[in-house]
Amino acid sequence: MKKELILTERNASYNELSRFFTDAAAWFQTPVEWLRNYYSSVLEREVSSKQASYITQAQLALILTIFPIVSSLLLQGVFLIWFVFSLYKCKKG
């Protein structure tokens, strides 16, 4: 009796899922890269992705602090602390 080994493609679905996550990560990284390039051109120096993230956080925190979208003073205080922390991280990083 001849023994044969049948190979199935069990990993095909895993490879497709892995490729999907890789493509999704690249798709989400594109706007981040555009923003990093924009900040680099405005500041006239190279900005890392981490620095671009801190700058974006500072801008978002400032908008949420200045324009009260919610009427809670506690949330306004949280947004103000976030803004100050983001500015500190921008200056440090």
Side-chain angles (χ1 to χ4, degrees):
M1 180 177 250
K2 186 177 182 182
K3 292 187 177 182
E4 292 184 18
L5 181 63
I6 299 174
L7 298 175
T8 60
E9 290 193 34
R10 288 179 134 189
N11 291 336
S13 62
Y14 173 76
N15 290 338
E16 289 175 9
L17 185 62
S18 175
R19 193 174 320 120
F20 170 75
F21 283 123
T22 304
D23 292 344
W27 188 76
F28 283 118
Q29 275 301 103
T30 303
V32 173
E33 188 64 23
W34 289 342
L35 205 55
R36 188 190 67 76
N37 290 333
Y38 172 73
Y39 290 143
S40 293
S41 67
V42 168
L43 296 175
E44 296 178 350
R45 66 178 181 91
E46 193 62 31
V47 174
S48 70
S49 295
K50 188 180 243 184
Q51 290 170 329
S53 170
Y54 292 147
I55 294 169
T56 304
Q57 286 182 33
Q59 289 176 339
L60 182 61
L62 178 67
I63 290 170
L64 291 174
T65 302
I66 291 177
F67 301 113
I69 297 172
V70 292
S71 60
S72 171
L73 288 177
L74 179 65
L75 276 177
Q76 289 298 105
V78 170
F79 294 150
L80 181 62
I81 291 169
W82 180 28
F83 174 64
V84 171
F85 180 73
S86 297
L87 284 180
Y88 170 74
K89 292 299 267 185
C90 283
K91 192 170 190 171
K92 185 180 176 186

